[in-house]
């Protein structure tokens, strides 16, 4: 417990009820003549010897020149706040490190800080991210400073908040679980977090969560939260999500990465679909994962295939191998009937070292040009496109047709 005013004389005028705020000071809410001092409880984790005078809460006191690294000065999310961090909900696995970024309305109400919480939300220092859960704005800024995309950070925060407030045996599922597994989507993240509960439990959806009842054979723990396995996640996404999302996530999960094994395998996903039985969407899901798992190595390739199929073009053979005097060449797409090779160029191969062997971006461009010359020397024609080309479906299909890609029969 801390006195509302420091070094106040005993005969001083009764102080106002004080609200902690960002910076070295307090904001007056109302007068409290019945109390000589307004005690403010601070959580031990948020106690600081020198409160920060900076306008952003959670920043350490400046000691001179500005630090170019905005994270180095980050000491706590809001050292001047009396609000305690969120208590771990029963659906969480222990106490994850990220829990201190969040505040629960129920915790604030029990400790008598409900008015302070509402005021911090009104001022934008706390951001509502779930039912009865808010997150410190400084935590979001720190994540973005680390390189997290704002939309990814927002969706991750909503997933965490949903599990803070959830009760077992709820688990993260669908697109939300795919996000935790590191799968990419070709469409924006959904507005609601998907939860899976066993049959017979409450499957009522809310503004923040979308619940469905189904029995899963196994679960995984991701980021301190219970989630469906990678194979079950792909199966659920392929059954329920939009086709673009299903193609993108399936390609990320089934594609072979540069290093390490894939997230899951086509065999495991098909086994999960078989376990689900004759439920709605299984047949379409099986067709999607089979199409993607037969050759798509990236979300961009999956997006290309999706546009080709929806645009009425002939489906190409994928990951076809050719050989010449210098060795083997594996291409992304090949239309044998017209002798045409298709190459989907993601920016990654030019913006980072190629497969970790230390080659610079310029060397990757030269190697790719040499690779194309080898294909042309075999009598093949080559058409290339990038992720930018895929943004305009009509232009992409027109380019392929002009290159000679036939329509599907």
């Amino acid at each position: 417990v801390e006195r509302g005013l420091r070094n106040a004389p005993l005969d001083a005028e009764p102080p106002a009820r004080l609200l902690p705020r960002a910076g070295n000071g307090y904001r007056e809410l109302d007068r409290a003549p019945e109390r000589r001092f307004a005690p403010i409880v601070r959580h031990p984790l948020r106690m600081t010897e020198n409160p920060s005078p900076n306008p952003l809460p959670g920043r350490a006191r400046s000691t001179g020149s500005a630090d170019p690294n905005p994270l180095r000065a980050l000491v706590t999310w809001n050292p001047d706040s009396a609000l305690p961090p969120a208590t771990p909900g029963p659906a969480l696995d222990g106490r994850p490190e990220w829990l201190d970024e969040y505040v629960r309305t129920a915790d604030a109400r029990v400790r008598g800080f409900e008015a302070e919480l509402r005021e911090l939300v009104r001022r934008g220092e706390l951001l509502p991210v779930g039912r009865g859960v808010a997150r410190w704005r400084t935590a979001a800024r720190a994540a973005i400073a680390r390189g997290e995309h704002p939309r990814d950070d927002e969706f991750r925060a909503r997933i965490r908040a949903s599990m803070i407030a959830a009760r077992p045996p709820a688990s993260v599922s669908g697109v939300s679980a795919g996000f935790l597994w590191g799968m990419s989507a070709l469409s924006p993240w959904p507005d609601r977090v998907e939860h899976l509960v066993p049959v017979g439990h409450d499957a009522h959806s809310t503004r923040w969560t979308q619940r469905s009842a189904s029995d899963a054979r196994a679960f995984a723990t991701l980021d301190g939260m219970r989630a469906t396995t990678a194979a079950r996640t792909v199966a659920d996404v392929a059954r329920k999500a939009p086709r673009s999302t299903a193609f993108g996530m399936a390609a990320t999960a089934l594609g072979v990465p540069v290093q390490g094994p894939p997230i899951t395998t086509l065999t495991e996903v098909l086994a999960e679909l078989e376990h689900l039985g004759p439920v709605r969407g299984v047949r379409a899901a099986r067709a999607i994962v089979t199409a993607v798992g037969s050759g798509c190595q990236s979300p961009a390739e999956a997006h290309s295939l999706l546009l080709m199929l929806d645009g009425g073009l002939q489906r190409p053979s994928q990951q076809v191998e050719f050989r010449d005097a210098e060795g083997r060449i594996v291409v992304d797409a090949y239309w044998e009937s017209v002798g045409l090779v298709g190459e989907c160029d993601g920016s990654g191969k030019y913006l980072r070292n190629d497969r970790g062997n230390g080659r610079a971006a310029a060397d990757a461009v030269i190697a790719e040009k040499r690779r194309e010359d080898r294909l042309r020397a075999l009598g093949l024609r080559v058409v290339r496109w990038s992720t930018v080309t895929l943004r305009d479906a009509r232009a992409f299909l027109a380019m392929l047709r002009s290159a000679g890609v036939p329509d599907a029969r």
Side-chain angles (χ1 to χ4, degrees):
V1 178
E2 179 189 3
R3 294 297 185 186
L5 297 176
R6 297 177 180 176
N7 303 323
L10 294 179
D11 57 349
E13 179 185 358
R17 182 166 175 259
L18 302 174
L19 172 68
R21 67 174 180 179
N24 188 11
Y26 297 85
R27 195 175 67 84
E28 179 176 309
L29 281 183
D30 51 43
R31 306 302 297 181
E34 73 281 2
R35 296 179 61 182
R36 181 169 294 274
F37 293 100
I40 296 177
V41 179
R42 288 187 177 181
H43 191 272
L45 295 178
R46 287 179 166 76
M47 290 292 290
T48 54
E49 229 175 288
N50 297 317
S52 168
N54 300 330
L56 289 181
R59 304 289 180 177
R61 179 186 291 269
S62 175
T63 57
S65 59
D67 193 330
N69 183 357
L71 296 181
R72 191 171 301 164
L74 189 63
V75 290
T76 55
W77 302 124
N78 196 325
D80 295 320
S81 172
L83 295 174
T87 55
L92 296 179
D93 183 16
R95 182 182 179 83
E97 294 181 358
W98 48 260
L99 196 60
D100 285 346
E101 300 178 10
Y102 299 84
V103 174
R104 297 187 65 177
T105 304
D107 298 335
R109 184 182 298 117
V110 168
R111 292 163 175 78
F113 292 111
E114 191 173 7
E116 286 82 348
L117 184 145
R118 287 198 300 266
E119 177 62 19
L120 289 169
V121 170
R122 187 190 68 80
R123 285 159 45 183
E125 295 180 27
L126 279 174
L127 308 175
V129 289
R131 183 177 182 180
V133 182
R135 184 191 187 200
W136 291 108
R137 180 180 58 180
T138 46
R141 290 185 174 182
I144 295 173
R146 290 194 301 266
E148 184 95 357
H149 192 282
R151 294 179 183 176
D152 292 349
D153 176 68
E154 178 188 358
F155 191 47
R156 190 187 306 277
R158 287 193 277 119
I159 294 174
R160 290 172 172 175
S162 72
M163 292 303 287
I164 290 176
R167 295 188 177 278
S171 58
V172 185
S173 64
V175 176
S176 306
F179 175 85
L180 295 179
W181 277 106
M183 304 177 193
S184 301
L186 301 177
S187 56
W189 300 118
D191 295 329
R192 294 191 292 180
V193 178
E194 296 173 71
H195 283 183
L196 182 70
V197 296
V199 176
H201 287 72
D202 179 22
H204 176 71
S205 298
T206 67
R207 170 193 170 190
W208 300 96
T209 59
Q210 180 177 349
R211 287 192 166 198
S212 59
S214 180
D215 291 324
R217 296 188 295 177
F219 296 91
T221 300
L222 304 174
D223 197 23
M225 297 173 284
R226 176 183 165 105
T228 53
T229 62
R232 177 58 188 266
T233 298
V234 175
D236 288 341
V237 170
R239 284 194 308 121
K240 302 177 182 180
R243 276 168 58 86
S244 59
T245 303
F247 267 73
M249 287 201 157
T252 310
L254 302 176
V256 180
V258 175
Q259 296 179 349
I263 298 176
T264 186
T265 64
L266 180 60
T267 302
E268 294 173 342
V269 177
L270 293 176
E272 287 291 344
L273 291 173
E274 186 69 23
H275 171 73
L276 287 170
V279 298
R280 182 179 180 181
V282 166
R283 182 179 300 178
R286 189 177 288 111
I288 289 175
V289 297
T290 302
V292 174
S294 61
C296 294
Q297 296 295 311
S298 68
E301 293 181 23
H303 193 187
S304 304
L305 178 61
L306 174 63
L307 294 180
M308 293 177 199
L309 297 179
D310 291 348
L313 294 180
Q314 183 184 98
R315 178 179 174 176
S317 301
Q318 295 176 279
Q319 309 306 318
V320 178
E321 180 180 315
F322 295 94
R323 287 188 175 274
D324 63 1
E326 298 184 29
R328 62 193 293 266
I329 310 173
V330 180
V331 299
D332 297 333
Y334 177 54
W335 291 270
E336 185 178 5
S337 60
V338 292
L340 180 65
V341 168
E343 289 286 82
C344 179
D345 291 331
S347 58
K349 68 171 68 175
Y350 303 113
L351 297 180
R352 66 172 182 266
N353 290 341
D354 185 67
R355 294 191 178 272
N357 61 8
R359 291 196 303 175
D363 295 333
V365 173
I366 296 174
E368 202 64 25
K369 179 64 172 64
R370 173 58 185 162
R371 183 171 175 273
E372 181 174 331
D373 292 341
R374 292 169 58 192
L375 290 171
R376 295 186 187 278
L378 294 175
L380 301 172
R381 296 183 296 117
V382 180
V383 59
R384 289 184 174 275
W385 62 88
S386 66
T387 53
V388 177
T389 312
L390 299 177
R391 296 175 185 174
D392 189 338
R394 290 186 178 181
F396 172 65
L397 296 174
M399 180 196 69
L400 292 182
R401 284 193 170 96
S402 63
V405 177
D407 291 333
R409 298 178 181 178

